[in-house]
Amino acid sequence: MANFVNVENLSYNGEYAKEIFLKSLYESKLKEYGITYMPGVKGQQQIVTGTVGDIFQKFTCPFSASGEVTLSQDMIKGVPMKVNLEECYDAFWSTFMASQTEVTLNGGVPVAFQDWFFNETLVPTLKKQYEQIFWNGDTANGATDMLKILDGVVKQISKNTSSVIQGAALTVDNIATSIESVVMKALASNDNFEDYKLFINVQDYQILKVALGKQNISSNNVFANFGVDGDKIYAYGFEVVPCQIAKDTMVCGPAKNLILGYDVEDSEISYKFVDMRESTLDNTFRVGVITNMAVGVAYPATMILYKKQG
């Protein structure tokens, strides 16, 4: 095996690990979606948010307080998570060597294998799965251990049965009308639609593109309520956002009411890369990651959930 690039054990702990974690969080698509970030979540904490209702009153001379304030209280709980991987160098070595040869030919400096694996393979996968847990986590889910870590957005909204629409699997033929049913229910739940978005699975988003492409938008009443602005699609004025939510599932409501909690100050966030050839002589390496997450939904009654029946 060619080994002109050094391979050594690697550990990112303490402040450096926190920087990596925060950088990943704030570069994540979750941040782009406009959801609320809540740092410093230790154990179980209360979410208290408030809105102000009717505040005008007929003028009178003395001060007379008036207004309606509504408080929403819920709980958010931080959950520690870990990654334990053992991989064979041979599975990645040819790709690594090709990429570093290209770097060298372009006048760059090759990096160590562990740095390449960490930045090019591990972190992008962590970001994607972190988002999948945020949306689809279900402690009662028996399909994958990853999703059993905590209850995500979909599970939490589904507890409010009045917010749920039981529908069919999304297809080219029914996706427009299915979106219409979600948006109409959302419109009936509130009168302030600031920050409203419609979150949809990335594959279903492509189905929507196909459906829109097959129609003459100007001559169809349903499709006339959809608009395209560059790479973005709007349904009844709400931006349609492709994300890692489960297929045949949609969530509509204020993005800011979805909360991602985390803790970096007193946590044991760490990233470790261990070369097993030094201890077992096996041509393998191990990767360990310790991190955390908390998910909450403020005003769940304003969030509408569409999911496939059965």
Side-chain angles (χ1 to χ4, degrees):
M1 177 188 299
N3 194 23
F4 67 86
V5 181
N6 189 34
V7 176
E8 297 176 350
N9 294 341
L10 178 72
S11 293
Y12 296 132
N13 296 302
E15 291 299 322
Y16 195 10
K18 294 173 186 177
E19 289 176 10
I20 295 171
F21 178 67
L22 286 173
K23 185 172 185 290
S24 295
L25 278 181
Y26 282 85
E27 289 180 351
S28 167
K29 289 185 178 180
L30 289 172
K31 186 62 177 177
E32 297 175 14
Y33 300 153
I35 70 171
T36 298
Y37 275 32
M38 183 177 177
V41 175
K42 296 175 174 61
Q44 183 165 286
Q45 291 186 205
Q46 191 175 40
I47 303 172
V48 180
T49 53
T51 59
V52 177
D54 298 334
I55 57 175
F56 276 107
Q57 59 179 307
K58 185 177 180 179
F59 177 81
T60 57
C61 188
F63 178 84
S64 176
S66 176
E68 299 174 359
V69 177
T70 303
L71 293 178
S72 171
Q73 300 186 40
D74 208 335
M75 303 302 292
I76 189 169
K77 183 178 181 180
V79 178
M81 307 185 297
K82 70 174 183 176
V83 173
N84 286 342
L85 292 177
E86 183 171 81
E87 300 286 352
C88 179
Y89 280 107
D90 292 344
F92 299 94
W93 199 260
S94 59
T95 304
F96 164 67
M97 294 296 289
S99 70
Q100 296 313 295
T101 299
E102 182 179 3
V103 168
T104 303
L105 293 175
N106 290 329
V109 178
V111 299
F113 176 86
Q114 67 270 27
D115 289 319
W116 170 84
F117 180 83
F118 181 82
N119 292 300
E120 301 297 326
T121 301
L122 180 63
V123 171
T125 302
L126 287 176
K127 286 182 180 179
K128 180 179 179 180
Q129 294 192 3
Y130 201 85
E131 183 181 342
Q132 289 173 337
I133 296 170
F134 174 83
W135 290 110
N136 311 311
D138 185 347
T139 52
N141 188 309
T144 65
D145 289 336
M146 180 185 79
L147 296 182
K148 293 178 68 174
I149 292 174
L150 53 76
D151 286 338
V153 167
V154 171
K155 178 68 176 292
Q156 293 191 33
I157 297 175
S158 66
K159 295 176 182 177
N160 181 21
T161 56
S162 62
S163 296
V164 180
I165 297 175
Q166 296 283 354
L170 297 175
T171 66
V172 172
D173 295 328
N174 71 14
I175 192 166
T177 53
S178 297
I179 288 176
E180 180 183 25
S181 68
V182 174
V183 173
M184 290 299 102
K185 190 173 180 67
L187 292 173
S189 69
N190 201 356
D191 59 1
N192 179 7
F193 305 108
E194 180 183 359
D195 192 46
Y196 266 60
K197 288 182 172 66
L198 176 68
F199 296 99
I200 188 171
N201 175 267
V202 289
Q203 292 177 311
D204 292 330
Y205 188 77
Q206 297 303 317
I207 291 175
L208 176 60
K209 282 185 175 182
V210 174
L212 293 176
K214 292 180 65 175
Q215 300 294 323
N216 181 347
I217 295 177
S218 63
S219 64
N220 187 300
N221 288 333
V222 174
F223 283 83
N225 291 304
F226 289 77
V228 178
D229 182 11
D231 294 332
K232 295 182 178 180
I233 297 176
Y234 292 85
Y236 299 81
F238 297 164
E239 182 183 352
V240 181
V241 180
C243 64
Q244 294 298 324
I245 198 169
K247 200 173 185 317
D248 303 317
T249 306
M250 293 182 281
V251 165
C252 184
K256 64 185 177 184
N257 285 4
L258 306 178
I259 300 172
L260 170 64
Y262 55 93
D263 176 32
V264 294
E265 292 304 320
D266 297 322
S267 65
E268 297 181 356
I269 294 174
S270 67
Y271 303 83
K272 292 184 181 292
F273 182 105
V274 181
D275 184 359
M276 297 307 296
R277 294 177 301 184
E278 297 181 0
S279 55
T280 65
L281 301 181
D282 293 331
N283 190 36
T284 61
F285 60 93
R286 289 182 179 179
V287 176
V289 178
I290 300 174
T291 183
N292 56 68
M293 176 192 285
V295 178
V297 179
Y299 297 106
T302 66
M303 308 302 295
I304 308 303
L305 170 65
Y306 176 101
K307 62 180 184 178
K308 184 173 66 173
Q309 190 169 12

